[in-house]
Every structure is written in structure tokens, then in C-alpha cells.
């Protein structure tokens, strides 16, 4: 009696795990529903068909290589960003906002830059002329670079 109950529990866990995998891996809704119905109505045959034809193993192998390569590239970028931010933090040691810049850097790793200025524009009457002037200066700066 207990062996039958244990086998039924394992069977249900297997079916649920395969169904979750189908939902997670399959891209289109029609394929997902087709494989789910196949697994529900023909359990072992459906599982065999899904794992034989439903998964593109070649694509998964290519993506796994790309994920490893992307992770390596991400580490290099974060290392360069960290070095750049440390250099800028050292340059702003005498600034009154050192604690704030440290907090910004530690929380979201956003790049810290120097020699910035900000102007608070409250309404559209102030904003529009300032945006037009800054766009003009940015345009001239890009034109003069070329």
C-alpha cells in the first residue's frame, strides 16, 4: 500500500516538474499547450516525445557558451567601471558630497562622472528655452568635432 502511494506521489511530482519545464522552455503558446496536453493525456509517451523533439539541444548548447562568454565580458566591464569610479572618487575627496557619491556607487554601480552641473527647472517656461539652448550647444559641439 505505501509503495503504491509513494509511486503515485513520485508520478505526480514528475508530471508537474515536466509541465513546469514545458511552460518555462517553450516559446509559443500553441506548442506549450500541445506539449502540456500530450503530457497530461499520454504521460510517459508525452514526456518522451517532449524531451526527444520539443527541446532544441543544439540551441541550448550554443546559448550556454554565449552565457559563459557574456559573463566574462560583464566581469571585464564591471572591473573597468570600478577602476573608473575609484579614480573619480579619489578626485572628489575634498567635495562635501563624498558620502553621497559613495552611496550611489555602492548601491547601483552607476558610473560617477566629474565636472557636472545641474539646474533645477520648475516649470515649462523655464525648461523649454534651456532645453533649446542646450540642444543647440550640443549640436555645435558635435559639428565642431567633425
Amino acid at each position: 500500500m505505501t509503495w503504491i502511494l509513494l509511486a503515485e506521489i513520485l508520478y505526480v511530482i514528475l508530471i508537474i516538474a515536466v509541465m513546469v519545464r514545458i511552460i518555462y522552455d517553450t516559446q509559443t503558446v500553441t506548442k506549450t499547450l500541445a506539449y502540456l496536453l500530450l503530457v497530461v493525456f499520454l504521460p510517459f509517451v508525452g514526456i518522451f516525445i517532449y524531451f526527444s523533439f520539443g527541446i532544441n539541444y543544439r540551441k541550448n548548447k550554443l546559448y550556454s557558451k554565449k552565457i559563459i562568454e557574456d559573463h566574462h565580458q560583464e566581469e571585464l566591464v564591471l572591473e573597468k567601471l570600478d577602476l573608473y569610479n575609484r579614480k573619480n572618487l579619489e578626485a572628489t575627496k575634498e567635495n562635501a558630497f563624498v558620502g553621497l557619491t559613495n552611496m550611489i556607487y555602492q548601491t547601483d554601480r552607476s558610473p560617477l562622472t566629474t565636472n557636472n552641473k545641474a539646474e533645477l527647472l520648475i516649470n515649462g517656461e523655464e525648461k523649454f528655452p534651456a532645453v533649446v539652448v542646450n540642444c543647440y550647444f550640443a549640436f555645435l559641439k558635435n559639428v565642431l568635432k567633425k
Side-chain angles (χ1 to χ4, degrees), residues 98-123:
V98 172
L100 180 63
T101 55
N102 274 326
M103 182 194 72
I104 290 171
Y105 171 66
Q106 293 297 328
T107 55
D108 61 354
R109 297 264 191 236
S110 61
L112 302 173
T113 58
T114 57
N115 301 326
N116 295 326
K117 72 174 190 178
E119 183 180 344
L120 186 61
L121 304 171
I122 304 296
N123 58 20

PDB file of all heavy atoms in Angstrom, residues 98-123:
ATOM      1  N   VAL A  98      30.969  63.457  -0.559  1.00  0.00           N
ATOM      2  CA  VAL A  98      31.700  62.196  -0.716  1.00  0.00           C
ATOM      3  C   VAL A  98      30.841  61.021  -0.251  1.00  0.00           C
ATOM      4  O   VAL A  98      30.794  59.971  -0.892  1.00  0.00           O
ATOM      5  CB  VAL A  98      33.034  62.242   0.059  1.00  0.00           C
ATOM      6  CG1 VAL A  98      33.707  60.884   0.055  1.00  0.00           C
ATOM      7  CG2 VAL A  98      33.942  63.287  -0.540  1.00  0.00           C
ATOM      8  N   GLY A  99      30.123  61.183   0.848  1.00  0.00           N
ATOM      9  CA  GLY A  99      29.260  60.113   1.356  1.00  0.00           C
ATOM     10  C   GLY A  99      28.157  59.771   0.370  1.00  0.00           C
ATOM     11  O   GLY A  99      27.851  58.595   0.154  1.00  0.00           O
ATOM     12  N   LEU A 100      27.583  60.790  -0.246  1.00  0.00           N
ATOM     13  CA  LEU A 100      26.524  60.567  -1.228  1.00  0.00           C
ATOM     14  C   LEU A 100      27.063  59.855  -2.470  1.00  0.00           C
ATOM     15  O   LEU A 100      26.437  58.916  -2.968  1.00  0.00           O
ATOM     16  CB  LEU A 100      25.882  61.897  -1.622  1.00  0.00           C
ATOM     17  CG  LEU A 100      24.751  61.839  -2.635  1.00  0.00           C
ATOM     18  CD1 LEU A 100      23.586  61.041  -2.065  1.00  0.00           C
ATOM     19  CD2 LEU A 100      24.313  63.232  -3.022  1.00  0.00           C
ATOM     20  N   THR A 101      28.216  60.263  -2.950  1.00  0.00           N
ATOM     21  CA  THR A 101      28.780  59.599  -4.130  1.00  0.00           C
ATOM     22  C   THR A 101      29.161  58.157  -3.813  1.00  0.00           C
ATOM     23  O   THR A 101      28.974  57.271  -4.649  1.00  0.00           O
ATOM     24  CB  THR A 101      30.008  60.360  -4.665  1.00  0.00           C
ATOM     25  OG1 THR A 101      30.962  60.520  -3.613  1.00  0.00           O
ATOM     26  CG2 THR A 101      29.623  61.696  -5.225  1.00  0.00           C
ATOM     27  N   ASN A 102      29.663  57.898  -2.623  1.00  0.00           N
ATOM     28  CA  ASN A 102      29.965  56.519  -2.224  1.00  0.00           C
ATOM     29  C   ASN A 102      28.696  55.681  -2.187  1.00  0.00           C
ATOM     30  O   ASN A 102      28.681  54.532  -2.631  1.00  0.00           O
ATOM     31  CB  ASN A 102      30.647  56.477  -0.863  1.00  0.00           C
ATOM     32  CG  ASN A 102      32.136  56.656  -0.975  1.00  0.00           C
ATOM     33  OD1 ASN A 102      32.745  56.221  -1.934  1.00  0.00           O
ATOM     34  ND2 ASN A 102      32.712  57.313   0.001  1.00  0.00           N
ATOM     35  N   MET A 103      27.614  56.254  -1.649  1.00  0.00           N
ATOM     36  CA  MET A 103      26.355  55.522  -1.562  1.00  0.00           C
ATOM     37  C   MET A 103      25.811  55.195  -2.964  1.00  0.00           C
ATOM     38  O   MET A 103      25.389  54.075  -3.226  1.00  0.00           O
ATOM     39  CB  MET A 103      25.311  56.317  -0.783  1.00  0.00           C
ATOM     40  CG  MET A 103      24.002  55.565  -0.625  1.00  0.00           C
ATOM     41  SD  MET A 103      22.648  56.580  -0.082  1.00  0.00           S
ATOM     42  CE  MET A 103      22.313  57.536  -1.524  1.00  0.00           C
ATOM     43  N   ILE A 104      25.854  56.175  -3.856  1.00  0.00           N
ATOM     44  CA  ILE A 104      25.370  55.950  -5.221  1.00  0.00           C
ATOM     45  C   ILE A 104      26.197  54.861  -5.896  1.00  0.00           C
ATOM     46  O   ILE A 104      25.655  53.969  -6.547  1.00  0.00           O
ATOM     47  CB  ILE A 104      25.408  57.260  -6.038  1.00  0.00           C
ATOM     48  CG1 ILE A 104      24.351  58.225  -5.528  1.00  0.00           C
ATOM     49  CG2 ILE A 104      25.211  56.992  -7.520  1.00  0.00           C
ATOM     50  CD1 ILE A 104      24.443  59.605  -6.124  1.00  0.00           C
ATOM     51  N   TYR A 105      27.489  54.901  -5.719  1.00  0.00           N
ATOM     52  CA  TYR A 105      28.349  53.904  -6.344  1.00  0.00           C
ATOM     53  C   TYR A 105      28.099  52.515  -5.768  1.00  0.00           C
ATOM     54  O   TYR A 105      28.009  51.536  -6.500  1.00  0.00           O
ATOM     55  CB  TYR A 105      29.815  54.289  -6.173  1.00  0.00           C
ATOM     56  CG  TYR A 105      30.744  53.203  -6.612  1.00  0.00           C
ATOM     57  CD1 TYR A 105      30.798  52.838  -7.946  1.00  0.00           C
ATOM     58  CD2 TYR A 105      31.537  52.533  -5.706  1.00  0.00           C
ATOM     59  CE1 TYR A 105      31.629  51.826  -8.358  1.00  0.00           C
ATOM     60  CE2 TYR A 105      32.372  51.518  -6.116  1.00  0.00           C
ATOM     61  CZ  TYR A 105      32.420  51.178  -7.440  1.00  0.00           C
ATOM     62  OH  TYR A 105      33.239  50.165  -7.845  1.00  0.00           O
ATOM     63  N   GLN A 106      27.948  52.407  -4.466  1.00  0.00           N
ATOM     64  CA  GLN A 106      27.777  51.104  -3.825  1.00  0.00           C
ATOM     65  C   GLN A 106      26.411  50.482  -4.113  1.00  0.00           C
ATOM     66  O   GLN A 106      26.291  49.264  -4.173  1.00  0.00           O
ATOM     67  CB  GLN A 106      27.971  51.219  -2.309  1.00  0.00           C
ATOM     68  CG  GLN A 106      29.377  51.556  -1.899  1.00  0.00           C
ATOM     69  CD  GLN A 106      30.380  50.487  -2.281  1.00  0.00           C
ATOM     70  OE1 GLN A 106      30.064  49.311  -2.319  1.00  0.00           O
ATOM     71  NE2 GLN A 106      31.590  50.906  -2.587  1.00  0.00           N
ATOM     72  N   THR A 107      25.372  51.300  -4.281  1.00  0.00           N
ATOM     73  CA  THR A 107      24.042  50.731  -4.452  1.00  0.00           C
ATOM     74  C   THR A 107      23.775  50.217  -5.861  1.00  0.00           C
ATOM     75  O   THR A 107      23.255  49.122  -6.024  1.00  0.00           O
ATOM     76  CB  THR A 107      22.950  51.753  -4.081  1.00  0.00           C
ATOM     77  OG1 THR A 107      23.147  52.943  -4.832  1.00  0.00           O
ATOM     78  CG2 THR A 107      22.971  52.051  -2.605  1.00  0.00           C
ATOM     79  N   ASP A 108      24.116  50.989  -6.885  1.00  0.00           N
ATOM     80  CA  ASP A 108      23.736  50.533  -8.227  1.00  0.00           C
ATOM     81  C   ASP A 108      24.859  50.566  -9.244  1.00  0.00           C
ATOM     82  O   ASP A 108      24.621  50.390 -10.429  1.00  0.00           O
ATOM     83  CB  ASP A 108      22.538  51.328  -8.747  1.00  0.00           C
ATOM     84  CG  ASP A 108      22.823  52.810  -8.853  1.00  0.00           C
ATOM     85  OD1 ASP A 108      23.889  53.240  -8.421  1.00  0.00           O
ATOM     86  OD2 ASP A 108      21.970  53.528  -9.385  1.00  0.00           O
ATOM     87  N   ARG A 109      26.085  50.761  -8.800  1.00  0.00           N
ATOM     88  CA  ARG A 109      27.257  50.729  -9.674  1.00  0.00           C
ATOM     89  C   ARG A 109      27.126  51.667 -10.872  1.00  0.00           C
ATOM     90  O   ARG A 109      27.645  51.384 -11.952  1.00  0.00           O
ATOM     91  CB  ARG A 109      27.524  49.316 -10.178  1.00  0.00           C
ATOM     92  CG  ARG A 109      27.852  48.328  -9.127  1.00  0.00           C
ATOM     93  CD  ARG A 109      29.343  48.188  -9.016  1.00  0.00           C
ATOM     94  NE  ARG A 109      29.692  47.046  -8.186  1.00  0.00           N
ATOM     95  CZ  ARG A 109      30.450  47.154  -7.129  1.00  0.00           C
ATOM     96  NH1 ARG A 109      30.925  48.313  -6.762  1.00  0.00           N
ATOM     97  NH2 ARG A 109      30.748  46.095  -6.417  1.00  0.00           N
ATOM     98  N   SER A 110      26.395  52.751 -10.697  1.00  0.00           N
ATOM     99  CA  SER A 110      26.294  53.694 -11.806  1.00  0.00           C
ATOM    100  C   SER A 110      27.606  54.465 -11.913  1.00  0.00           C
ATOM    101  O   SER A 110      28.242  54.771 -10.909  1.00  0.00           O
ATOM    102  CB  SER A 110      25.131  54.655 -11.583  1.00  0.00           C
ATOM    103  OG  SER A 110      25.342  55.401 -10.410  1.00  0.00           O
ATOM    104  N   PRO A 111      28.035  54.749 -13.133  1.00  0.00           N
ATOM    105  CA  PRO A 111      29.320  55.424 -13.296  1.00  0.00           C
ATOM    106  C   PRO A 111      29.278  56.844 -12.742  1.00  0.00           C
ATOM    107  O   PRO A 111      28.328  57.590 -12.963  1.00  0.00           O
ATOM    108  CB  PRO A 111      29.550  55.430 -14.808  1.00  0.00           C
ATOM    109  CG  PRO A 111      28.242  55.139 -15.415  1.00  0.00           C
ATOM    110  CD  PRO A 111      27.415  54.425 -14.398  1.00  0.00           C
ATOM    111  N   LEU A 112      30.313  57.190 -12.009  1.00  0.00           N
ATOM    112  CA  LEU A 112      30.423  58.526 -11.430  1.00  0.00           C
ATOM    113  C   LEU A 112      31.249  59.386 -12.373  1.00  0.00           C
ATOM    114  O   LEU A 112      32.303  58.966 -12.835  1.00  0.00           O
ATOM    115  CB  LEU A 112      31.094  58.446 -10.066  1.00  0.00           C
ATOM    116  CG  LEU A 112      30.409  57.554  -9.046  1.00  0.00           C
ATOM    117  CD1 LEU A 112      31.260  57.422  -7.805  1.00  0.00           C
ATOM    118  CD2 LEU A 112      29.050  58.112  -8.691  1.00  0.00           C
ATOM    119  N   THR A 113      30.758  60.563 -12.653  1.00  0.00           N
ATOM    120  CA  THR A 113      31.479  61.473 -13.527  1.00  0.00           C
ATOM    121  C   THR A 113      31.771  62.757 -12.771  1.00  0.00           C
ATOM    122  O   THR A 113      31.171  63.051 -11.738  1.00  0.00           O
ATOM    123  CB  THR A 113      30.664  61.782 -14.794  1.00  0.00           C
ATOM    124  OG1 THR A 113      29.406  62.340 -14.406  1.00  0.00           O
ATOM    125  CG2 THR A 113      30.428  60.534 -15.608  1.00  0.00           C
ATOM    126  N   THR A 114      32.710  63.525 -13.286  1.00  0.00           N
ATOM    127  CA  THR A 114      33.089  64.773 -12.630  1.00  0.00           C
ATOM    128  C   THR A 114      32.746  65.949 -13.529  1.00  0.00           C
ATOM    129  O   THR A 114      32.403  65.783 -14.700  1.00  0.00           O
ATOM    130  CB  THR A 114      34.602  64.773 -12.333  1.00  0.00           C
ATOM    131  OG1 THR A 114      35.300  64.569 -13.558  1.00  0.00           O
ATOM    132  CG2 THR A 114      34.962  63.673 -11.348  1.00  0.00           C
ATOM    133  N   ASN A 115      32.847  67.136 -12.955  1.00  0.00           N
ATOM    134  CA  ASN A 115      32.624  68.397 -13.670  1.00  0.00           C
ATOM    135  C   ASN A 115      31.226  68.483 -14.275  1.00  0.00           C
ATOM    136  O   ASN A 115      31.049  68.933 -15.403  1.00  0.00           O
ATOM    137  CB  ASN A 115      33.688  68.617 -14.751  1.00  0.00           C
ATOM    138  CG  ASN A 115      35.079  68.655 -14.178  1.00  0.00           C
ATOM    139  OD1 ASN A 115      35.276  69.137 -13.064  1.00  0.00           O
ATOM    140  ND2 ASN A 115      36.044  68.129 -14.903  1.00  0.00           N
ATOM    141  N   ASN A 116      30.231  68.034 -13.528  1.00  0.00           N
ATOM    142  CA  ASN A 116      28.848  68.146 -13.971  1.00  0.00           C
ATOM    143  C   ASN A 116      28.183  69.317 -13.276  1.00  0.00           C
ATOM    144  O   ASN A 116      28.599  69.730 -12.193  1.00  0.00           O
ATOM    145  CB  ASN A 116      28.071  66.876 -13.635  1.00  0.00           C
ATOM    146  CG  ASN A 116      28.591  65.684 -14.379  1.00  0.00           C
ATOM    147  OD1 ASN A 116      29.029  65.806 -15.498  1.00  0.00           O
ATOM    148  ND2 ASN A 116      28.546  64.539 -13.734  1.00  0.00           N
ATOM    149  N   LYS A 117      27.137  69.836 -13.878  1.00  0.00           N
ATOM    150  CA  LYS A 117      26.336  70.849 -13.207  1.00  0.00           C
ATOM    151  C   LYS A 117      24.874  70.564 -13.510  1.00  0.00           C
ATOM    152  O   LYS A 117      24.535  70.014 -14.563  1.00  0.00           O
ATOM    153  CB  LYS A 117      26.723  72.263 -13.618  1.00  0.00           C
ATOM    154  CG  LYS A 117      26.318  72.662 -15.001  1.00  0.00           C
ATOM    155  CD  LYS A 117      26.622  74.121 -15.247  1.00  0.00           C
ATOM    156  CE  LYS A 117      25.983  74.522 -16.559  1.00  0.00           C
ATOM    157  NZ  LYS A 117      26.170  75.916 -16.853  1.00  0.00           N
ATOM    158  N   ALA A 118      24.043  70.897 -12.578  1.00  0.00           N
ATOM    159  CA  ALA A 118      22.611  70.671 -12.733  1.00  0.00           C
ATOM    160  C   ALA A 118      21.867  71.955 -12.408  1.00  0.00           C
ATOM    161  O   ALA A 118      22.240  72.691 -11.508  1.00  0.00           O
ATOM    162  CB  ALA A 118      22.151  69.555 -11.813  1.00  0.00           C
ATOM    163  N   GLU A 119      20.825  72.193 -13.157  1.00  0.00           N
ATOM    164  CA  GLU A 119      19.991  73.365 -12.936  1.00  0.00           C
ATOM    165  C   GLU A 119      18.563  72.887 -12.764  1.00  0.00           C
ATOM    166  O   GLU A 119      18.044  72.143 -13.592  1.00  0.00           O
ATOM    167  CB  GLU A 119      20.104  74.300 -14.147  1.00  0.00           C
ATOM    168  CG  GLU A 119      19.341  75.587 -13.995  1.00  0.00           C
ATOM    169  CD  GLU A 119      19.502  76.478 -15.226  1.00  0.00           C
ATOM    170  OE1 GLU A 119      20.414  76.242 -16.023  1.00  0.00           O
ATOM    171  OE2 GLU A 119      18.680  77.389 -15.373  1.00  0.00           O
ATOM    172  N   LEU A 120      17.935  73.268 -11.680  1.00  0.00           N
ATOM    173  CA  LEU A 120      16.579  72.836 -11.381  1.00  0.00           C
ATOM    174  C   LEU A 120      15.593  73.740 -12.120  1.00  0.00           C
ATOM    175  O   LEU A 120      15.548  74.944 -11.902  1.00  0.00           O
ATOM    176  CB  LEU A 120      16.335  72.886  -9.875  1.00  0.00           C
ATOM    177  CG  LEU A 120      15.011  72.335  -9.394  1.00  0.00           C
ATOM    178  CD1 LEU A 120      14.907  70.864  -9.764  1.00  0.00           C
ATOM    179  CD2 LEU A 120      14.885  72.491  -7.896  1.00  0.00           C
ATOM    180  N   LEU A 121      14.803  73.143 -13.002  1.00  0.00           N
ATOM    181  CA  LEU A 121      13.812  73.876 -13.779  1.00  0.00           C
ATOM    182  C   LEU A 121      12.432  73.471 -13.284  1.00  0.00           C
ATOM    183  O   LEU A 121      12.041  72.318 -13.375  1.00  0.00           O
ATOM    184  CB  LEU A 121      13.967  73.563 -15.266  1.00  0.00           C
ATOM    185  CG  LEU A 121      15.359  73.843 -15.849  1.00  0.00           C
ATOM    186  CD1 LEU A 121      15.459  73.306 -17.247  1.00  0.00           C
ATOM    187  CD2 LEU A 121      15.654  75.328 -15.811  1.00  0.00           C
ATOM    188  N   ILE A 122      11.686  74.415 -12.769  1.00  0.00           N
ATOM    189  CA  ILE A 122      10.420  74.135 -12.104  1.00  0.00           C
ATOM    190  C   ILE A 122       9.264  74.021 -13.092  1.00  0.00           C
ATOM    191  O   ILE A 122       8.443  73.121 -12.996  1.00  0.00           O
ATOM    192  CB  ILE A 122      10.102  75.228 -11.047  1.00  0.00           C
ATOM    193  CG1 ILE A 122      11.241  75.348 -10.043  1.00  0.00           C
ATOM    194  CG2 ILE A 122       8.789  74.952 -10.359  1.00  0.00           C
ATOM    195  CD1 ILE A 122      11.469  74.105  -9.215  1.00  0.00           C
ATOM    196  N   ASN A 123       9.178  74.915 -14.051  1.00  0.00           N
ATOM    197  CA  ASN A 123       8.025  74.896 -14.952  1.00  0.00           C
ATOM    198  C   ASN A 123       8.481  74.898 -16.410  1.00  0.00           C
ATOM    199  O   ASN A 123       9.663  75.019 -16.718  1.00  0.00           O
ATOM    200  CB  ASN A 123       7.097  76.087 -14.667  1.00  0.00           C
ATOM    201  CG  ASN A 123       7.809  77.417 -14.818  1.00  0.00           C
ATOM    202  OD1 ASN A 123       8.830  77.509 -15.458  1.00  0.00           O
ATOM    203  ND2 ASN A 123       7.248  78.453 -14.215  1.00  0.00           N
TER     204      ASN A 123
END
